[in-house]
Amino acid sequence: MSSETMRAATARRYGGPEVMAIETLPRPVAGPGQLLIRTAAFGVTRGDARIRGLDVPRGMGGLMRLIFGLTRPRRPIQGREFAGVVAALGDGVTGWTVGDAVMGITPGMRLSAGAEYCTMPADGRLTRRPDTLTPEEAAGYFFGLLTAADFLLDQAKLQPDERVLINGASGAVGIAAVWLAKHLGAQVTAVCSPANHDFARRFGADLTADYARPLPAGPFDVVLDVAGTLPYSRAKPLLADGGRLALITADLKGQLGANLRPRRGTHQLLAGVTKETPAALTRALAFHAQGYRPPITALPLTDIQQAHLHASTGHKHGNVVVTL
Ligand SMILES: NC(=O)c1ccc[n+]([C@@H]2O[C@H](COP(=O)([O-])OP(=O)(O)OC[C@H]3O[C@@H](n4cnc5c(N)ncnc54)[C@H](OP(=O)(O)O)[C@@H]3O)[C@@H](O)[C@H]2O)c1
């Protein structure tokens, strides 16, 4: 491989994990205000799997095509979350040095983190990696925790001692939500398959339940539907007076319903897209100083299809990252 090329994980068409390929492509160059990052690891999230396969909740496919490419992916290099080191600075970049250990998430829907090199604007979505996080942990850090914090703290305004049910508690978002809710002092009921109940308990769940059986009656002050299987019609009997239902995986009907008619009696419906602001990243990293470490399964780049297969199942154990 020449010093001007790199290996990248690409998808040239929408489809299953088999569309993922490893290509040799030109290395990007840091433009003005950008940094070139030598990537050590990148995340393969449920979100990445959804983009690759256009496998999205009902009614959202058209919007995804508009964002990512009508007939095929506009940007073939996949991946959003990464950890690495600064390899070069573009014109006008201050405050960073070549060799700095960094982690971050590519802005908006730009993708491109799944390669040996990527460029990033020098804004707050690029942060320094604490020594206490490995590159693999750093590459799987933000997706789940940012989402859990956005829905639990900012939207549902979860309070200490409140009762929260987390439906889909052992994947990237759910396990972060279990930790965060417990850390806040809430009473946490984690719903996932029995094989993952010990895992959820290790992250702080007080009670566990199996989604294949009737759910605990509650009542719950907050129901966090990570898995997308608890629309209001199913969640309503579980909610306490004043209860909030946070729909992390809502189809178009659920999104519109929550936005147009958020109040249902004393209940509140919440939905939307996770905010990835610099302030949100700073807050998420502060939770590491308070004890949060994301659970990681790491695979080499040669297993990129395997990583996508795992991320597509809807039964992922924490986070999957690919190392370079
Ligand atoms: N709104 C947003 O901005 C936003 C942001 C990030 C993610 N999301 C969405 O959040 C969802 C979860 O992401 P993730 O990365 O946490 O996924 P994941 O890692 O694949 O985890 C899925 C979780 O759901 C559980 N599960 C599977 N089938 C279930 C069922 N029938 N009932 C209840 N739980 C079930 C799994 O448990 P077992 O493995 O034990 O079966 C696992 O705990 C995805 O749909 C993703 O698109 C939305």
Side-chain angles (χ1 to χ4, degrees):
M1 185 133 356
S2 88
S3 63
E4 290 175 0
T5 59
M6 65 174 185
R7 288 177 307 158
T10 59
R12 297 275 174 186
R13 59 193 167 91
Y14 294 123
E18 71 283 356
V19 304
M20 290 307 302
I22 301 167
E23 293 187 55
T24 300
L25 295 175
R27 260 185 216 180
V29 174
Q34 290 185 332
L35 296 95
L36 179 69
I37 311 296
R38 181 157 53 79
T39 316
F42 64 92
V44 179
T45 67
R46 183 80 178 101
D48 294 317
R50 287 193 184 287
I51 294 168
R52 184 215 66 236
L54 282 185
D55 163 25
V56 287
R58 207 157 17 137
M60 306 298 232
L63 182 63
M64 293 291 278
R65 282 183 190 272
L66 278 178
I67 296 172
F68 293 106
L70 281 183
T71 56
R72 70 176 97 96
R74 194 175 291 128
R75 293 174 179 275
I77 303 177
Q78 303 291 297
R80 297 200 58 222
E81 253 197 310
F82 64 90
V85 293
V86 175
L89 308 176
D91 287 347
V93 173
T94 55
W96 297 97
T97 307
V98 170
D100 283 348
V102 292
M103 58 195 281
I105 190 156
T106 58
M109 299 302 162
R110 219 172 61 109
L111 309 182
S112 80
E116 287 174 317
Y117 290 85
C118 67
T119 56
M120 276 290 288
D123 73 2
R125 272 164 297 201
L126 182 73
T127 64
R128 288 173 206 285
R129 172 173 65 81
D131 291 344
T132 45
L133 279 176
T134 65
E136 290 81 4
E137 288 172 324
Y141 191 85
F142 284 124
F143 177 83
L145 187 56
L146 284 178
T147 306
D150 188 316
F151 280 84
L152 278 181
L153 305 184
D154 300 337
Q155 296 212 50
K157 306 205 184 313
L158 181 69
Q159 301 298 314
D161 296 327
E162 282 195 319
R163 300 151 294 184
V164 58
L165 179 95
I166 297 168
N167 182 49
S170 53
V173 177
I175 206 69
V178 168
W179 182 90
L180 190 56
K182 188 64 188 172
H183 181 65
L184 194 73
Q187 290 172 43
V188 182
T189 301
V191 181
C192 50
S193 61
N196 283 321
H197 284 178
D198 280 348
F199 177 50
R201 274 193 217 101
R202 282 204 301 281
F203 276 75
D206 299 293
L207 297 169
T208 51
D210 177 4
Y211 53 74
R213 304 178 66 83
L215 293 179
F220 297 98
D221 303 295
V222 172
V223 170
L224 189 72
D225 181 25
V226 184
T229 57
L230 279 183
Y232 184 58
S233 54
R234 264 195 88 201
K236 185 179 173 184
L238 309 177
L239 285 166
D241 272 359
R244 289 87 79 202
L245 170 63
L247 298 161
I248 292 187
T249 304
D251 60 12
L252 186 61
K253 189 169 158 227
Q255 292 273 357
L256 288 175
N259 284 304
L260 297 174
R261 200 157 72 84
R263 293 254 159 228
R264 311 285 167 104
T266 68
H267 298 156
Q268 191 183 4
L269 269 58
L270 306 159
V273 178
T274 302
K275 288 179 292 306
E276 294 170 351
T277 58
L281 265 69
T282 303
R283 176 177 68 178
L285 259 189
F287 291 128
H288 171 58
Q290 294 160 38
Y292 180 71
R293 295 194 96 83
I296 300 291
T297 303
L299 296 170
L301 181 62
T302 44
D303 285 349
I304 185 68
Q305 292 190 350
Q306 188 61 30
H308 266 261
L309 182 65
H310 194 34
S312 301
T313 58
H315 300 282
K316 186 157 53 54
H317 186 86
N319 304 272
V320 172
V321 306
V322 162
T323 53
L324 289 156

